[in-house]
Amino acid sequence: MPKPNDAVALVLGGGGARGAYQAGVLRAIARRKPALNIPILTGISAGALNMAFLASHPGSMARATEDLVALWLSIVPERVFDVNPGGLLANVFRWGSRLLSGGLGKHESMRGLVETTPLRSFLRTSLASTESDRITGIEENIASGRLRAIALSATSYSTGQSVTWVQGNDVSLWQRPQRRSELARLSVEHVMASAALPLLFPAVRVGDEWYGDGGIRLTAPLSPALHLGATRILTISTRYQRSRAEADESQIAGYPPPAQVLGVLYNAIFLDLIDQDIVRLELMNELLRQMPPEKETDLSVVDILVLRPSQDLGRLSSKYEPRLPSFFRFLSRGLGTTKTASPDILSLVMFQRDYIEALVKLGESDAEAQWDRIDRFLEPGIPSD
């Protein structure tokens, strides 16, 4: 007999610092269901960090989520990127000189706006990796049967493809136009590659290719979970679902500053695609439910539960903006983060304790408020509403 929740998948998308919200939701769920086990984990960007941590943790879901929240609460900007004014200025001038030179002369390659060496060191310490950066706990959990598979996605700048790295038992790889999967022994570099925010963070080399954030090219974010055999999917979005009136309200006065343009761009990359994929899955489920019994098909309904924040996380970040590191705050204001009501681009990189704490608390309260839906979903054989 299959174990309860044997084919449930947890799918976490990107959002930079917003990943702390996902950690808060998961901790609230695990407190209510400390024996819960979710065997299929897939993640992109910040979601990849969360998934790698849970997949490698030796303890129960309750213990793992407590430690995941503690991990997020230990993050400060200095542990993610170099906040030294000299380093930031050097990158800005390097970009400017490269642009103004027209590519002539000898110039260093234009990499990310910030240097993420601190993040790599932090992950090496936090993910219990070996000297080769391999995340050893994943293998142990797969061998014990607690974990069926984990998949992390990144975008290959070298080929333009979306690549999903998979580690698990009895995995069947897949390939689609501009998408491919690969077996891998996951390491810190895979997590770094999946979380490399375009332009802001430098690309990461894995094997012979250079990679950036997994949300750039993955047009079907739910697909890795489906390919790995999920029959139910729990996903935690970091996008606040605005009402029609809120959606029609302008976030700026006058010409859009760069921060607003970048915020729209990053939302399109990290959040729009998964929302579109959810709609596609729900439409397919409805078609399958209406199909006459005599019309047999290999397809089956995949139940999905989407949890979302009850507040706009971009608007929330503006409350904590004055406490950013001074020079980083100076640069961000130069982009116009104070000229928009919802500085979404700022919320992605606001790795500071007070904002992280607010995200965790919001995630916990949102999960408690929706507990009836969550509980029904996690009961085997009972579809969510």
Side-chain angles (χ1 to χ4, degrees):
M1 294 292 292
K3 298 177 182 178
N5 295 316
D6 191 47
V8 172
L10 176 62
V11 176
L12 297 183
R18 297 182 184 190
Y21 174 83
Q22 298 170 338
V25 172
L26 291 172
R27 180 165 75 169
I29 292 174
R31 280 178 174 173
R32 291 268 197 159
K33 287 186 175 291
L36 175 67
N37 183 56
I38 300 179
I40 302 172
L41 306 176
T42 76
I44 305 168
S45 193
L49 187 159
N50 287 335
M51 292 294 86
F53 187 88
L54 294 180
S56 63
H57 197 281
S60 65
M61 186 71 165
R63 184 68 260 168
T65 54
E66 287 289 341
D67 289 345
L68 179 62
V69 168
L71 175 75
W72 276 100
L73 293 178
S74 71
I75 293 178
V76 291
E78 292 81 1
R79 285 187 167 181
V80 180
F81 45 78
D82 184 4
V83 298
N84 177 34
L88 289 172
L89 274 176
N91 282 341
V92 170
F93 283 120
R94 188 177 297 117
W95 278 44
S97 62
R98 181 74 176 184
L99 290 171
L100 292 175
S101 71
L104 299 176
K106 294 182 179 181
H107 297 276
E108 291 186 42
S109 298
M110 294 170 61
R111 297 178 180 260
L113 185 60
V114 297
E115 174 56 55
T116 54
T117 300
L119 177 60
R120 180 175 282 103
S121 299
F122 179 69
L123 292 180
R124 283 173 174 166
T125 302
S126 304
L127 295 178
S129 60
T130 64
E131 291 183 1
S132 62
D133 284 344
R134 184 164 46 85
I135 307 171
T136 55
I138 294 176
E139 293 180 5
E140 296 170 0
N141 284 330
I142 291 173
S144 70
R146 292 175 53 192
L147 179 66
R148 179 192 295 185
I150 175 175
L152 307 182
S153 298
T155 301
S156 172
Y157 290 141
S158 302
T159 67
Q161 293 178 307
S162 174
V163 178
T164 298
W165 295 298
V166 185
Q167 187 171 351
N169 274 331
D170 300 323
V171 173
S172 297
L173 297 179
W174 63 92
Q175 186 158 353
R176 298 291 185 272
Q178 295 302 318
R179 288 189 282 139
R180 75 176 194 263
S181 60
E182 296 179 359
L183 292 176
R185 301 176 75 181
L186 295 176
S187 69
V188 168
E189 292 306 296
H190 292 100
V191 179
M192 287 288 296
S194 183
L197 293 168
L199 299 181
L200 291 178
F201 291 1
V204 176
R205 187 170 185 171
V206 178
D208 295 329
E209 298 180 34
W210 290 91
Y211 291 90
D213 197 285
I216 299 173
R217 196 60 188 268
L218 186 56
T219 55
L222 301 179
S223 63
L226 298 175
H227 284 296
L228 293 173
T231 58
R232 285 182 292 159
I233 294 175
L234 171 64
T235 183
I236 304 171
S237 173
T238 58
R239 178 194 284 277
Y240 168 68
Q241 194 166 32
R242 297 175 180 174
S243 66
R244 178 58 186 270
E246 289 173 323
D248 290 341
E249 181 182 350
S250 177
Q251 305 296 310
I252 57 173
Y255 191 82
Q260 179 69 11
V261 176
L262 288 172
V264 172
L265 175 63
Y266 274 64
N267 279 340
I269 293 172
F270 299 121
L271 303 178
D272 288 355
L273 291 178
I274 193 167
D275 282 344
Q276 293 168 11
D277 209 19
I278 290 167
V279 170
R280 283 194 296 266
L281 180 60
E282 290 174 337
L283 287 174
M284 181 61 70
N285 283 340
E286 187 60 30
L287 288 173
L288 291 173
R289 292 188 182 103
Q290 295 179 13
M291 186 171 291
E294 63 273 14
K295 299 289 187 180
E296 294 187 3
T297 176
D298 292 335
L299 300 176
S300 60
V301 171
V302 177
D303 199 26
I304 185 167
L305 177 63
V306 185
L307 303 177
R308 301 178 183 277
S310 58
Q311 297 181 36
D312 186 324
L313 303 187
R315 285 180 177 268
L316 182 63
S317 69
S318 62
K319 176 181 177 181
Y320 301 93
E321 186 269 350
R323 291 189 284 277
L324 278 171
S326 57
F327 190 72
F328 188 79
R329 183 176 67 247
F330 173 78
L331 290 179
S332 68
R333 287 183 176 181
L335 293 174
T337 53
T338 59
K339 305 298 182 182
T340 171
S342 182
D344 290 325
I345 187 64
L346 188 62
S347 70
L348 297 178
V349 295
M350 189 173 278
F351 296 95
Q352 59 188 62
R353 179 66 181 256
D354 49 5
Y355 182 58
I356 296 296
E357 284 182 343
L359 293 178
V360 170
K361 290 178 181 178
L362 181 62
E364 290 179 310
S365 63
D366 285 349
E368 290 293 337
Q370 302 181 71
W371 180 248
D372 288 344
R373 293 177 63 220
I374 298 170
D375 192 33
R376 285 196 300 271
F377 178 83
L378 293 175
E379 288 298 320
I382 303 177
S384 62
D385 53 6

